[in-house]
Amino acid sequence: MAHKLKPTALAVLAATMVAGLLSGCADNTNNNKPEANQTNSADATNQANESNGTKSENVAAEPVEISWGIHFQANAVVENSPVQQWLEKKFNVKIKPVKVTDASIASGEVPDLFMLGDPANVSAYQSQGVLMDIDPTMLKEKMPEYAKDVESANALFQTVTFDDKLWAIPMFIDLKPYDLAMLYRKDWLDKVGITKIPETLDEFEKAAYAFAKNDPDGNGKQDTYGLTGTATSTWSTGFYSIFGAFGIEPTMWQEQNGQLVNGSIRNEAKDAVAKLAQWYKDGVIDPEFITDTQDSYRKKLYNGRIGTIEEQIGKAALEDGATITGMKAINPEAQLVLGKNPQGPGGSGSWDWGTKSNFVVLGRQVKEDPEKLAKIFEILNAESNDEETINMTSMGEKGKHWDFAESGATTGATKFLPEFEKQEQRDALGIRLFSLGNITTRAYREKYSNPKLNDVVRSFSTSPSWTDSLLFAALPSDGKYKQELTALTQKYFAQFISGEIPLTDWDKYVAEWKAKGGDELTKEANDLYVKQFKQ
C-alpha cells in the first residue's frame, strides 16, 4: 500500500478557504402549517358595512413596500410566487424579493430585511455602514415570546454587538441534527470480530486498524482504510472527533487557565496530530484525506474504501436519513450504525456550533421609516410564533405540499408530498425563500419536531463540549489574519500527519502562527471575552 504523497502544502493552499459573506448554517426548520382563515379583516369589515347600505370610513391603508433579501441558500429569486402573494395579502405589504450578494450590497442595493449566516458577516456589513442598529427593548416589546426563549442563549447577542449597539437579531438552536457523531460500517465491524460499537479512543483505534488490515470487504486485497478526513474545510482541519478526544478543536477560541487560547496551537492539538500521524504511517488513514470532503468521504464509505466517517446525526439517525438511503442505493447489503465520539484523555466531542444559527438584519434605511419598521417587526413576530405564517413560508400548504409523517397526526415529524420533495420544486413556489428558519419559538419547535430524531440527537451529540468561547464572534483583525492563519494550520497539520515534515517542527509552526497575526488576535479575543462574554 503506497503512502507517498506529493507535497501537501500545495494541495492544502490550493483548496478554497473562504466561504462567502452570505454563508452560514443550513436552515433546520422542518415545520409547517395547518391552513387558517386567511380573510382580510379590513375587507370583511368593508363588506359588512356595504351590506348594511353604508360605506366604510376605514379605507384600507396602502401596502407597505418592503425589499426582502431572499434566503441565502436559494439559487435564485422567484418573482410573485404564491408564498409572496400570500404574505402580501396577510400583512398588507408589497414585497420586492432580491438576491443579496457582496456586489449588490457594495452597489448600495441593501434590502430592508435579510439574513446573514455568521457574526463575521454581520460585522463586515456593519463596518460598511449598511445595517440598522436594533433596540433590544423593541425586540422584547414586538417579539415577546421569541425574546423570552432566546434569553437562554443570551450570549449570542454579544456576538453581534459592536460599538455597544446590537446589529442583528440572533437565531438559536438547541437540538442540532447537524452535530457530528461516528458512523460505522456495522457489517465490517462484524467481519473483523468487533461486537461492541467503539466508545473510547483505544476502541476506535482498534476498529480503524482492523478496517485497514483485516480485509473487511473480503476481496483478499489490502485496499481499505479505517478513516479519512477533511483537511481543507473552510473553518478548521477535519478529524474533529479525534481532536475532541484530546479536549480541543483547532481554530476555536477556548479557555485555558482563565485565558483564551486558540485550539490550533495548544499542546493537546500536538498530541492529537501525533496520534493521527501514527495512524497515517501505519496505513490506517486514507492518503486522500488532504483533499477529501464530506461528500467524497460518504462515497468512500458507500463504496467500501473506508470503514467509518464523522457524520451529521440527522443524516444517519433514522432509516430515511440521507446517508442511510445513500448507502442502500449503492450497497444495499451494507449496514451502518451510529457511535459516540470516542472518549480520550481530554474527554469526548467534535466540532460544535453551539446554539448559534443565522441572524436577521435590517437595512439602515428602515430606521428612517417608522411605518416600515413596525410592519417588519409584525412579520418577524409572526415568523417566530404564528403557525400559519411559519408553515406557509417554510413548507407551504398542508395537504398539498406537506403533511405530517404519521397519518392523522397533528404534531410531530412532517414530510413533503410527491412533486414537492425536491428543494427546487418548493423554491419555485416561494417555499423557503421567505422563511426565517430558527427564529421560531420553542413551543412551535416542540410541536413540529420529530421526537425519534430528537432522542437520537440527545443520545449521540456531545454539544456543546467544544464550542467556541466567543461563539464565533468576529474580532477586529479577523479580516487581516484569520484566513491566512487557518490555511497555515491546515498546511502544517496535513504535513505533520502525512510525515512530510517531522512533529519536532511544532514549535516552528506555533511561532509562525503567532507572528502572522495570532498574537494580535489572541489579545483581541481575550479583550472581547472579558468585556462581553466572561461572567
Side-chain angles (χ1 to χ4, degrees):
M1 185 181 304
H3 303 296
K4 187 71 175 178
L5 293 180
K6 296 179 180 180
T8 55
L10 296 177
V12 172
L13 292 176
T16 301
M17 291 300 308
V18 185
L21 274 177
L22 300 178
S23 64
C25 299
D27 176 359
N28 289 286
T29 305
N30 185 25
N31 321 321
N32 296 303
K33 106 170 194 341
E35 283 292 288
N37 187 351
Q38 300 175 17
T39 303
N40 183 286
S41 59
D43 289 345
T45 302
N46 290 339
Q47 292 169 7
N49 287 336
E50 289 173 5
S51 69
N52 292 326
T54 63
K55 186 174 180 67
S56 173
E57 296 180 2
N58 298 322
V59 178
E62 286 294 314
V64 175
E65 296 185 3
I66 297 175
S67 58
W68 191 312
I70 293 305
H71 197 299
F72 52 66
Q73 293 181 324
N75 292 325
V77 170
V78 179
E79 297 277 358
N80 296 316
S81 65
V83 173
Q84 177 184 331
Q85 294 176 40
W86 186 91
L87 286 166
E88 290 175 337
K89 181 178 180 180
K90 181 177 177 71
F91 294 101
N92 191 31
V93 294
K94 180 59 181 174
I95 295 173
K96 178 186 177 183
V98 295
K99 188 66 177 171
V100 185
T101 65
D102 291 346
S104 66
I105 294 293
S107 69
E109 297 177 1
V110 182
D112 297 323
L113 168 69
F114 59 112
M115 282 200 303
L116 293 172
D118 195 86
N121 310 147
V122 179
S123 176
Y125 282 179
Q126 185 271 336
S127 67
Q128 296 177 42
V130 302
L131 300 183
M132 169 188 157
D133 63 282
I134 296 170
D135 182 356
T137 301
M138 176 178 284
L139 179 62
K140 292 180 180 180
E141 290 176 351
K142 301 296 185 181
M143 302 175 66
E145 294 178 47
Y146 179 75
K148 182 178 179 181
D149 280 354
V150 79
E151 282 180 356
S152 64
N154 193 53
L156 288 175
F157 287 91
Q158 301 303 323
T159 69
V160 286
T161 296
F162 316 116
D163 301 326
D164 297 319
K165 292 181 179 180
L166 179 66
W167 296 94
I169 301 173
M171 303 182 197
F172 72 97
I173 184 166
D174 297 316
L175 286 172
K176 303 186 296 301
Y178 52 83
D179 280 343
L180 297 170
M182 306 310 300
L183 184 63
Y184 296 92
R185 283 285 301 266
K186 174 65 167 58
D187 52 320
W188 279 21
L189 288 172
D190 294 341
K191 181 70 181 296
V192 298
I194 296 177
T195 58
K196 177 189 175 186
I197 306 302
E199 295 181 359
T200 68
L201 188 60
D202 288 343
E203 290 170 349
F204 176 86
E205 181 178 68
K206 181 180 178 181
Y209 271 78
F211 290 158
K213 305 295 185 181
N214 295 354
D215 192 24
D217 59 356
N219 68 355
K221 301 177 182 178
Q222 194 171 341
D223 57 358
T224 56
Y225 297 91
L227 69 160
T228 188
T230 54
T232 56
S233 68
T234 57
W235 58 82
S236 191
T237 59
F239 298 112
Y240 307 119
S241 61
I242 307 307
F243 284 103
F246 285 86
I248 60 96
E249 286 297 336
T251 75
M252 282 190 188
W253 295 104
Q254 296 170 309
E255 186 172 357
Q256 185 179 41
N257 300 323
Q259 295 289 311
L260 290 195
V261 181
N262 197 280
S264 300
I265 60 169
R266 285 178 55 179
N267 287 332
E268 292 88 343
K270 180 181 179 181
D271 294 339
V273 167
K275 174 65 73 175
L276 291 165
Q278 184 62 54
W279 291 354
Y280 184 90
K281 181 180 178 182
D282 292 344
V284 173
I285 294 177
D286 189 329
E288 295 176 357
F289 82 92
I290 296 166
T291 54
D292 270 336
T293 65
Q294 286 188 342
D295 285 339
S296 66
Y297 73 39
R298 287 188 189 105
K299 292 177 182 176
K300 289 183 175 183
L301 184 75
Y302 299 157
N303 291 308
R305 182 177 170 98
I306 57 176
T308 183
I309 62 172
E310 295 175 286
E311 182 57 287
Q312 296 176 30
I313 297 170
K315 291 182 181 295
L318 306 175
E319 284 301 306
D320 60 353
T323 305
I324 301 298
T325 56
M327 173 61 89
K328 287 180 179 178
I330 294 174
N331 194 343
E333 301 303 316
Q335 296 176 307
L336 297 176
V337 63
L338 277 171
K340 295 184 177 181
N341 295 305
Q343 182 82 23
S348 67
S350 188
W351 184 277
D352 185 72
W353 292 105
T355 56
K356 182 186 82 69
S357 184
N358 301 317
F359 298 84
V360 173
V361 293
L362 306 181
R364 66 178 179 182
Q365 68 276 6
V366 176
K367 197 168 188 176
E368 308 304 320
D369 191 335
E371 183 182 16
K372 181 179 291 189
L373 180 60
K375 183 61 70 173
I376 286 175
F377 266 99
E378 179 187 349
I379 295 172
L380 289 174
N381 187 50
E383 291 252 17
S384 72
N385 68 9
D386 176 54
E387 289 185 51
E388 181 184 45
T389 302
I390 301 167
N391 293 339
M392 177 60 82
T393 56
S394 58
M395 292 189 86
E397 295 184 38
K398 183 178 182 293
K400 181 177 181 180
H401 305 119
W402 72 278
D403 210 332
F404 288 100
E406 185 177 335
S407 178
T410 57
T411 63
T414 59
K415 64 179 180 181
F416 289 111
L417 298 178
E419 297 184 17
F420 303 103
E421 294 168 312
K422 295 180 179 180
Q423 187 63 64
E424 56 266 28
Q425 294 170 320
R426 304 192 295 272
D427 281 355
L429 301 173
I431 298 169
R432 177 179 76 156
L433 302 189
F434 300 95
S435 169
L436 297 178
N438 290 311
I439 204 168
T440 55
T441 60
R442 283 198 174 91
Y444 177 87
R445 299 179 195 198
E446 182 65 24
K447 181 174 180 178
Y448 285 88
S449 64
N450 185 336
K452 292 181 180 179
L453 176 59
N454 291 347
D455 287 345
V456 180
V457 173
R458 291 187 182 100
S459 296
F460 289 94
S461 171
T462 53
S463 173
S465 295
W466 310 121
T467 199
D468 188 270
S469 294
L470 299 176
L471 300 182
F472 306 97
L475 300 174
S477 298
D478 270 352
K480 291 169 59 178
Y481 304 123
K482 186 175 182 179
Q483 177 185 344
E484 183 179 358
L485 290 177
T486 301
L488 181 76
T489 295
Q490 291 176 328
K491 180 192 75 170
Y492 267 104
F493 281 23
Q495 291 176 321
F496 287 140
I497 293 169
S498 67
E500 189 173 322
I501 60 175
L503 200 53
T504 52
D505 281 355
W506 180 264
D507 290 343
K508 175 184 175 183
Y509 151 67
V510 172
E512 189 174 347
W513 186 93
K514 291 181 176 182
K516 289 187 173 179
D519 276 344
E520 188 172 343
L521 290 185
T522 299
K523 182 181 185 306
E524 291 178 356
N526 279 280
D527 289 346
L528 181 62
Y529 189 54
V530 170
K531 180 181 179 181
Q532 293 183 199
F533 289 89
K534 193 171 185 179
Q535 302 299 322

PDB file of all heavy atoms in Angstrom, residues 9-17:
ATOM      1  N   ALA A   9       1.508  20.745   1.144  1.00  0.00           N
ATOM      2  CA  ALA A   9       1.296  22.187   1.304  1.00  0.00           C
ATOM      3  C   ALA A   9       0.593  22.764   0.091  1.00  0.00           C
ATOM      4  O   ALA A   9      -0.306  23.597   0.205  1.00  0.00           O
ATOM      5  CB  ALA A   9       2.631  22.891   1.506  1.00  0.00           C
ATOM      6  N   LEU A  10       0.999  22.309  -1.101  1.00  0.00           N
ATOM      7  CA  LEU A  10       0.392  22.840  -2.316  1.00  0.00           C
ATOM      8  C   LEU A  10      -1.062  22.446  -2.395  1.00  0.00           C
ATOM      9  O   LEU A  10      -1.917  23.236  -2.787  1.00  0.00           O
ATOM     10  CB  LEU A  10       1.154  22.329  -3.545  1.00  0.00           C
ATOM     11  CG  LEU A  10       2.613  22.792  -3.651  1.00  0.00           C
ATOM     12  CD1 LEU A  10       3.259  22.158  -4.876  1.00  0.00           C
ATOM     13  CD2 LEU A  10       2.683  24.307  -3.755  1.00  0.00           C
ATOM     14  N   ALA A  11      -1.374  21.201  -2.021  1.00  0.00           N
ATOM     15  CA  ALA A  11      -2.760  20.749  -2.091  1.00  0.00           C
ATOM     16  C   ALA A  11      -3.640  21.531  -1.136  1.00  0.00           C
ATOM     17  O   ALA A  11      -4.764  21.900  -1.457  1.00  0.00           O
ATOM     18  CB  ALA A  11      -2.836  19.253  -1.771  1.00  0.00           C
ATOM     19  N   VAL A  12      -3.123  21.781   0.066  1.00  0.00           N
ATOM     20  CA  VAL A  12      -3.915  22.484   1.059  1.00  0.00           C
ATOM     21  C   VAL A  12      -4.128  23.926   0.651  1.00  0.00           C
ATOM     22  O   VAL A  12      -5.228  24.465   0.703  1.00  0.00           O
ATOM     23  CB  VAL A  12      -3.239  22.415   2.444  1.00  0.00           C
ATOM     24  CG1 VAL A  12      -3.971  23.306   3.433  1.00  0.00           C
ATOM     25  CG2 VAL A  12      -3.209  20.988   2.928  1.00  0.00           C
ATOM     26  N   LEU A  13      -3.050  24.590   0.229  1.00  0.00           N
ATOM     27  CA  LEU A  13      -3.163  26.001  -0.118  1.00  0.00           C
ATOM     28  C   LEU A  13      -4.029  26.213  -1.348  1.00  0.00           C
ATOM     29  O   LEU A  13      -4.598  27.281  -1.542  1.00  0.00           O
ATOM     30  CB  LEU A  13      -1.771  26.590  -0.353  1.00  0.00           C
ATOM     31  CG  LEU A  13      -0.909  26.680   0.906  1.00  0.00           C
ATOM     32  CD1 LEU A  13       0.479  27.169   0.556  1.00  0.00           C
ATOM     33  CD2 LEU A  13      -1.548  27.599   1.926  1.00  0.00           C
ATOM     34  N   ALA A  14      -4.129  25.185  -2.200  1.00  0.00           N
ATOM     35  CA  ALA A  14      -4.942  25.324  -3.401  1.00  0.00           C
ATOM     36  C   ALA A  14      -6.421  25.206  -3.102  1.00  0.00           C
ATOM     37  O   ALA A  14      -7.256  25.577  -3.922  1.00  0.00           O
ATOM     38  CB  ALA A  14      -4.545  24.260  -4.427  1.00  0.00           C
ATOM     39  N   ALA A  15      -6.779  24.675  -1.935  1.00  0.00           N
ATOM     40  CA  ALA A  15      -8.192  24.468  -1.621  1.00  0.00           C
ATOM     41  C   ALA A  15      -8.875  25.801  -1.344  1.00  0.00           C
ATOM     42  O   ALA A  15      -8.263  26.731  -0.873  1.00  0.00           O
ATOM     43  CB  ALA A  15      -8.323  23.569  -0.393  1.00  0.00           C
ATOM     44  N   THR A  16     -10.142  25.855  -1.640  1.00  0.00           N
ATOM     45  CA  THR A  16     -10.890  27.078  -1.371  1.00  0.00           C
ATOM     46  C   THR A  16     -11.060  27.248   0.113  1.00  0.00           C
ATOM     47  O   THR A  16     -11.549  26.369   0.794  1.00  0.00           O
ATOM     48  CB  THR A  16     -12.278  26.998  -2.020  1.00  0.00           C
ATOM     49  OG1 THR A  16     -12.088  26.814  -3.414  1.00  0.00           O
ATOM     50  CG2 THR A  16     -13.070  28.262  -1.756  1.00  0.00           C
ATOM     51  N   MET A  17     -10.702  28.439   0.628  1.00  0.00           N
ATOM     52  CA  MET A  17     -10.664  28.622   2.060  1.00  0.00           C
ATOM     53  C   MET A  17     -11.773  29.500   2.600  1.00  0.00           C
ATOM     54  O   MET A  17     -12.030  29.502   3.775  1.00  0.00           O
ATOM     55  CB  MET A  17      -9.314  29.249   2.445  1.00  0.00           C
ATOM     56  CG  MET A  17      -8.154  28.308   2.254  1.00  0.00           C
ATOM     57  SD  MET A  17      -8.371  26.855   3.264  1.00  0.00           S
ATOM     58  CE  MET A  17      -8.660  27.636   4.826  1.00  0.00           C
TER      59      MET A  17
END
